[in-house]
Amino acid sequence: MKNLLKAIWCILLLFVVLSSPVKGQSREVRLSGSAPEYSKMSIVFEYYQNFLNYEQKELITVKIDEKGNFDFTFPLDKTIYAFSDLGRFRGFLYLEPGHDYELELPPFEPLTQSEKLNPFYQPEEILLGIQNQNSQSLNPLIRDFNQAFDYQFNTNALKILTTKNQKLVSEIIDSLEIRFPQEQDFFKAHKHFKYARLAMLASRNMEKEIIEKYFSNRPVRFSLPAYWDAFKDVFSGYERKILKRFVNSDSLSLQSFISTIKADTLINRQDLAEAVAVFSLYRSYHEKIISEKLTLRLLKELKERASIKETGNIAGSIYSKITALRPGSSAPEFTLYNFEGEQKSLKDYQGKFVYLNFCHTNNYACQRDLRLLPKLHETFKRDLQIVTIMVNDNYEEAKEFIEAHKSLEWDFLFFGMNANIIKDYNVRAVPLYYLIDPEGKLVLSPAASPAENFHDRFIQKYREYKRELQRKNRQEGQSIFGP
């Protein structure tokens, strides 16, 4: 009997273990609600792939039905900061694995065309309403804590900075801990790194005091915004101390670079050392501490060989961003619809040069160039494909313009409110032009307009491409015994 009970107990224990969620394991998150103003819209929720260059990644697209209702479920393996651009508002919230969010969306106020095309436009950030959560849930906790913290910070920052009054810092932290004693892991870490920014004001030796107390013995929190706010404050300028000895050297290896960082007893954790490495390279590129060539090589090596997956992702993101749109780099892919309803992708044009341009029918410079492009099209149509992407917000308006101008015989695509292509091609104003070679590589980035002697520039680049192609073919056809 005792053995039978013991066996039953073991089975029950095993069942509990197997059915319990494992840390880092994906669990379902549910987003639901009713928002009649958003009827038939698709809302894209995104997150930051990292908090250094803030590369955005799509999390989920929520389709709202004709009555304004939505109910979507998706897997999530860690708590993240998610957001969605909703016209003039950017609604955000922290999403936790295994949680259900009944959302209340803000009133919809659409952006104007100029606001859509302005890369510096910043929507107003608001915390999305969550109807089925209480004051002890993560989002209200962070909101209330941030309000209390910001009040104390703004009220006392100057005094703390000038007097280095560490006692006052401790009193503020103690008072906030009394009001917000919750020990939930994500919220506890959020508080910790908020306190780090306060403690910096009173620190006389930031490396010794702040790094040791707030960073040295803690894992890097890749998905926690508060971590990176504090991290960037603490480690800004650190790259000069690390890299100044390598200013005149292009032979620095990634291993030596990481070892140099870890030689500092305050940064002996591998994840922290790699985070400092990628941040230092990111800042070095902009501050030009070491050569651009060396910075890019180390970023690429870190992308490929980082022992921490998240660090490799950050290095890859920064490397891609830095090298994007450079002559010789791959032109960003896209898939858009033309005005006959057919899908067109950049790869559909491979084998020819592509003169890619962005236009708006109400823009005078665009109208002028569209009068010049037919001659270019007729002259070079055997070797050059003109592709015009219309960035009008009104599809019918753009279509009517094209139908009214029969001489425009090349491919016209509609950007369809696709913010990614605007971002990928850095469209800050129109008209904007790029020349892409038959293999999908950028040749002129940006390229001259039809009114700026593009004709001659294209002939030059076409000849250079053909010469290089002939040179490669000759090399491939060579034998060790001679031609």
Side-chain angles (χ1 to χ4, degrees), residues 16 28 39 43 57 64 66 90 92 101-102 120 133 143-144 176 228 231 249 280 314 343 389 412 429 440 461 467-468:
V16 169
E28 296 291 302
S39 171
I43 296 177
K57 294 283 188 180
I64 300 178
E66 59 185 12
R90 168 167 287 185
F92 71 89
Y101 300 89
E102 188 177 341
F120 304 108
Q133 295 201 351
R143 177 199 63 204
D144 295 343
L176 288 170
W228 291 99
F231 180 95
S249 172
S280 297
I314 296 173
Q343 271 195 346
I389 296 176
F412 283 82
K461 292 300 179 182
R467 283 197 297 268
E468 181 62 19

Side-chain angles (χ1 to χ4, degrees), residues 158-426:
L158 183 59
K159 182 179 179 180
I160 295 171
L161 185 62
T162 55
T163 64
K164 302 298 179 184
N165 190 335
Q166 295 189 358
K167 182 180 179 182
L168 178 55
V169 170
S170 297
E171 289 173 354
I172 293 172
I173 292 174
D174 289 344
S175 69
L176 288 170
E177 279 297 290
I178 291 171
R179 289 184 60 187
F180 301 95
Q182 293 82 358
E183 292 290 301
Q184 190 253 42
D185 179 65
F186 194 89
F187 180 59
K188 185 178 179 181
H190 176 84
K191 291 188 295 179
H192 177 84
F193 293 106
K194 281 285 191 178
Y195 296 151
R197 298 193 73 198
L198 186 65
M200 285 176 221
L201 299 175
S203 176
R204 298 180 186 277
N205 185 343
M206 190 176 294
E207 287 183 15
K208 181 65 178 174
E209 297 172 1
I210 305 301
I211 297 178
E212 185 174 38
K213 181 175 181 179
Y214 289 93
F215 290 93
S216 289
N217 299 312
R218 290 177 177 266
V220 175
R221 305 292 296 238
F222 289 98
S223 62
L224 179 64
Y227 178 93
W228 291 99
D229 288 342
F231 180 95
K232 287 183 282 190
D233 279 350
V234 170
F235 290 102
S236 290
Y238 200 82
E239 69 282 350
R240 292 189 176 276
K241 299 177 183 179
I242 302 170
L243 294 169
K244 64 181 181 182
R245 70 192 75 175
F246 304 109
V247 169
N248 298 314
S249 172
D250 279 340
S251 61
L252 175 64
S253 69
L254 177 63
Q255 184 178 356
S256 297
F257 181 42
I258 298 293
S259 297
T260 301
I261 295 171
K262 291 183 72 174
D264 188 328
T265 56
L266 295 172
I267 311 177
N268 51 22
R269 287 180 58 96
Q270 183 68 21
D271 58 349
L272 181 57
E274 289 189 7
V276 171
V278 73
F279 183 51
S280 297
L281 292 172
Y282 177 69
R283 285 184 57 84
S284 174
Y285 175 80
H286 294 286
E287 299 291 330
K288 304 188 186 305
I289 299 170
I290 55 176
S291 72
E292 182 177 305
K293 178 182 177 182
L294 177 56
T295 301
L296 290 175
R297 177 171 65 76
L298 291 174
L299 277 170
K300 188 176 182 181
E301 288 182 21
L302 191 55
K303 165 192 170 185
E304 296 168 350
R305 295 164 48 193
S307 59
I308 308 299
K309 177 184 175 182
E310 291 87 349
T311 309
N313 290 340
I314 296 173
S317 171
I318 293 171
Y319 180 84
S320 298
K321 189 72 173 179
I322 289 173
T323 56
L325 298 180
R326 287 187 168 202
S329 65
S330 296
E333 265 293 349
F334 60 80
T335 299
L336 301 172
Y337 284 92
N338 64 18
F339 288 86
E340 284 74 48
E342 302 169 326
Q343 271 195 346
K344 291 285 186 177
S345 299
L346 179 60
K347 61 185 177 184
D348 293 335
Y349 304 108
Q350 283 194 352
K352 277 182 140 182
F353 279 87
V354 175
Y355 191 31
L356 181 69
N357 58 93
F358 294 81
C359 284
H360 191 291
T361 58
N362 294 331
N363 181 282
Y364 170 76
C366 289
Q367 293 174 4
R368 177 204 63 201
D369 288 355
L370 289 171
R371 290 193 293 270
L372 299 175
L373 281 169
K375 185 176 181 181
L376 274 177
H377 172 65
E378 187 61 30
T379 303
F380 295 119
K381 62 183 178 182
R382 192 184 72 174
D383 300 297
L384 179 69
Q385 174 69 54
I386 299 175
V387 179
T388 298
I389 296 176
M390 308 299 286
V391 296
N392 295 52
D393 55 348
N394 188 311
Y395 174 86
E396 293 300 330
E397 177 185 60
K399 185 176 183 180
E400 288 173 9
F401 180 91
I402 295 166
E403 291 175 346
H405 295 79
K406 301 300 182 182
S407 63
L408 309 180
E409 298 178 342
W410 57 91
D411 278 4
F412 283 82
L413 309 178
F414 183 62
F415 93 119
M417 307 308 172
N418 186 336
N420 286 333
I421 195 167
I422 299 299
K423 179 179 65 176
D424 290 346
Y425 280 92
N426 197 27

